[in-house]
Amino acid sequence: MNEVQLKDLFTRKYLNSNIDLCRDTMEHFVDSIIKVLFPALCNQSSKNIDQLKNNLSNLKIELDTILTCLTDELHNQIDKHAIIRSFFEELLELEKQMNEDANFILEGDPAAKNFNEVVICYPGFYAIAVYRLAHYFHNCELPLFARILTEYAHRKTGIDIHPGAKIKSPFFIDHGTGVVIGESTNIGKRVKIYQGVTLGATSVDKNLANTKRHPTIEDDVIIYSNATILGGKTTIGKNSIIGGNVWIVDSIPPNSKIFYKEH
């Protein structure tokens, strides 16, 4: 690469481009929030309320830094102070949902011995917790921030949840590696899914970006490993059990049991 080519590359890629997106700060922020809510994840938790207040104050500064990066680099018109205020006001509701998720895992998995084991050791819990935070920011019309958070969790756990999905609590992903949950998926309460499950679309046509492309999973459904459920019009009725390795593109009525059979 000669000097002219180098200058051209610098101009095109390094000037006036979105290179300062605070990704490390975003990743540190989401982990720090989860540690504040679940101190079992900390090497050393807050020993008094003043230390906890200080930790939360530092997290507000981090979030301000992140929103400033997004404003400067993406030219978004963001009301930073309103987002920061509303997020920390909503934090206890998000914690409630995460607690429901963790307790649902504890109650539903005979291998889980206590609450802290779920919080510390279960990648499904971590991926869901990050999703719940990311979904909040997705609803604040900060899709890149939200997507960076869920892709961070994807990188750590192998669980790919789009922040635009709507997932009620409690929710349980067991084992989790290879799970994919698409953007317009709707998931009801007390749903349990296993590794390798795909809740996806039947088409990747860009013209369908604003349509519901992914399935709806109603309350109390269990979906076993490597099942594939596709399509925005596909609904899995409540109390159904979906066996492993099945391929579903049509709706299933409530109380169904669907299994793969070799012929």
Side-chain angles (χ1 to χ4, degrees), residues 206-259:
K206 191 69 173 178
N207 293 325
L208 300 176
N210 296 318
T211 63
K212 189 177 187 312
R213 309 181 309 283
H214 306 94
T216 295
I217 312 299
E218 294 185 345
D219 296 348
D220 301 297
V221 169
I222 300 174
I223 306 174
Y224 284 99
S225 58
N226 298 312
T228 298
I229 304 172
L230 306 178
K233 296 182 180 179
T234 302
T235 296
I236 305 301
K238 64 182 181 179
N239 298 310
S240 291
I241 297 174
I242 306 301
N245 299 303
V246 299
W247 175 278
I248 297 175
V249 293
D250 295 305
S251 292
I252 302 298
N255 306 302
S256 297
K257 292 183 179 180
I258 307 297
F259 297 100

Side-chain angles (χ1 to χ4, degrees), residues 136-153:
Y136 179 87
F137 292 113
H138 178 86
N139 288 342
C140 291
E141 299 185 355
L142 297 169
L144 180 60
F145 181 24
R147 193 66 186 273
I148 287 172
L149 296 184
T150 53
E151 283 306 307
Y152 174 55

Side-chain angles (χ1 to χ4, degrees), residues 10-28:
F10 181 80
T11 300
R12 288 186 292 107
K13 296 290 187 180
Y14 289 82
L15 293 180
N16 302 315
S17 62
N18 302 328
I19 61 171
D20 185 18
L21 289 172
C22 308
R23 286 186 61 190
D24 289 345
T25 305
M26 292 177 183
E27 293 170 1
H28 181 267

Side-chain angles (χ1 to χ4, degrees), residues 40-57:
L41 290 166
C42 300
N43 293 327
Q44 184 175 5
S45 60
S46 301
K47 298 301 181 184
N48 56 62
I49 194 167
D50 289 333
Q51 188 174 350
L52 178 58
K53 287 179 180 177
N54 185 61
N55 288 343
L56 288 170
S57 179

Side-chain angles (χ1 to χ4, degrees), residues 22 25 29 58-71 80-81 84 88:
C22 308
T25 305
F29 173 79
N58 288 336
L59 286 168
K60 289 179 181 178
I61 293 170
E62 277 198 9
L63 184 53
D64 183 271
T65 298
I66 291 165
L67 296 176
T68 299
C69 287
L70 291 169
T71 301
K80 294 192 306 177
H81 302 296
I84 293 167
F88 283 94

